[in-house]
Amino acid sequence: AVVSRGAAVLVLVTLGVGASGCGDDDSPPVRAPLGTQLLDAMRAGALTVTPGGELLAGELETGAIVSSRARARPLPRLKVATGGQRGLLGLAADRRGRVYAAYTRSGDRRIVVDRIAPGAVTRIWTGPRSADLANGGHLELAADGRLVIGIGDLQNPARVADPRAPNGKLLALRTDARNGRPAVLSTGWNNPFAFTFIAGSRLWVADNAPGKRSERLARGDFGGAPRNVSGLSRKTAPSGLAAISSTELAVCGFVTETLDRYRLTEGRWRFAGTIARGCRYGVVRLPRGRLAFSTGRDIRVISAR
């Protein structure tokens, strides 16, 4: 995950309200506070949308998870380790009503994936020890029902290069097994935190990069090194990726604090303008052609068209 410090306010939004228009101007937050679910100083670092259209947001540093629905089922507060970029890193939900979370657990600071609802919290996978920077930890649900997680570690290149280590890889986890061996979807990544599926099966990744190395958009589902690589137009520090269509992606940038549009043209992703400003902590696609993104102070909803 890509994080910063400082107080923040999260205003959750109802998914039925009107969205603000696109453009380069700052997009105002859609303010529809849900009673006690208006949380002060909440830094929403994990976002997901359930198949039923419910927006779930997780606070990076406390492990709290809230819903856009006023009468949502309660979700547990996870015991997360903090410091650097540790905390609640990813959320995902499937069609059977199950919710999953990836986080750095308190105590040994390992990255773990749990099923957190319904019922008791159940461990799916125990991953590597986390680092101060570039842990990865974002979750997406694949069409075959497996959970996909990206693991990075820019502080230890030897671990990334080790084929036996999970670092620098996109992994697929079976949700019906406990601590099973994950399948490697691709390897050779720096920090594959921002990724999403297009058309159900094509996995695209916006990869962070250290120093002056270029950041990239690339396919991550071929079993080896990144393929179909395109460079990002500027230093972005991607913190989220959402599919607008089969040929358009929205890239949330922690460094740029923008939500940028990239369009697939002649086999390459090319910058096609800034959709909105203020995006720092992630973006998800909502129903009816809208996007929700986290500024670290609130969640804003805009039209992606």
Side-chain angles (χ1 to χ4, degrees):
V2 183
V3 305
S4 69
R5 297 186 180 276
V9 176
L10 168 65
V11 181
L12 284 180
V13 300
T14 58
L15 302 189
V17 297
S20 61
C22 290
D24 289 344
D25 295 334
D26 288 0
S27 57
V30 181
R31 297 189 179 276
L34 303 176
T36 58
Q37 291 180 347
L38 173 59
L39 301 183
D40 293 333
M42 183 175 185
R43 189 176 299 168
L47 300 173
T48 194
V49 179
T50 72
E54 178 185 7
L55 175 64
L56 300 178
E59 184 175 26
L60 180 75
E61 294 167 330
T62 70
I65 304 167
V66 293
S67 167
S68 63
R69 291 183 176 169
R71 296 178 180 176
R73 58 182 165 174
L75 293 170
R77 181 187 290 263
L78 301 170
K79 295 180 180 180
V80 301
T82 59
Q85 295 179 355
R86 298 179 180 90
L88 176 51
L89 303 172
L91 292 170
D94 66 18
R95 295 186 178 278
R96 297 175 63 181
R98 295 176 296 193
V99 180
Y100 305 91
Y103 60 100
T104 52
R105 69 182 177 188
S106 60
D108 61 9
R109 293 184 165 188
R110 285 188 177 274
I111 298 173
V112 297
V113 178
D114 288 348
R115 186 179 69 241
I116 61 173
V121 173
T122 302
R123 181 63 34 82
I124 300 296
W125 182 61
T126 301
R129 292 186 182 275
S130 59
D132 288 341
L133 300 172
N135 280 307
H138 179 67
L139 289 177
E140 290 283 345
L141 199 70
D144 62 8
R146 293 184 297 174
L147 280 172
V148 179
I149 185 170
I151 301 292
D153 186 355
L154 296 181
Q155 294 174 294
N156 195 335
R159 292 174 67 184
V160 173
D162 185 352
R164 299 167 297 178
N167 306 83
K169 299 175 180 64
L170 282 164
L171 308 172
L173 312 173
R174 290 179 54 185
T175 60
D176 59 352
R178 295 188 183 184
N179 286 319
R181 186 177 182 85
V184 176
L185 297 181
S186 55
T187 187
W189 302 100
N190 300 306
N191 179 26
F193 182 78
F195 61 89
T196 192
F197 285 96
I198 290 181
S201 60
R202 286 177 288 163
L203 181 60
W204 287 96
V205 185
D207 192 25
N208 281 266
K212 296 182 178 181
R213 292 169 59 181
S214 62
E215 296 174 325
R216 54 190 173 171
L217 269 170
R219 284 285 293 271
D221 51 353
F222 284 111
R227 291 176 58 178
N228 305 110
V229 178
S230 301
L232 296 182
S233 66
R234 52 184 172 171
K235 199 69 173 179
T236 302
S239 59
L241 191 66
I244 299 173
S245 69
S246 61
T247 58
E248 288 190 330
L249 288 168
V251 180
C252 181
F254 180 78
V255 168
T256 58
E257 299 186 38
T258 58
L259 188 63
D260 293 336
R261 187 189 309 269
Y262 278 78
R263 185 172 291 125
L264 189 61
T265 305
E266 297 179 348
R268 296 186 62 83
W269 291 100
R270 303 183 188 279
F271 177 74
T274 294
I275 303 170
R277 301 189 185 279
C279 191
R280 299 193 79 190
Y281 290 89
V283 59
V284 289
R285 181 180 177 180
L286 300 177
R288 298 190 295 277
R290 292 172 296 159
L291 299 171
F293 65 86
S294 171
T295 69
R297 300 175 303 276
D298 52 40
I299 292 178
R300 304 184 182 190
V301 174
I302 63 167
S303 170
R305 299 191 178 100

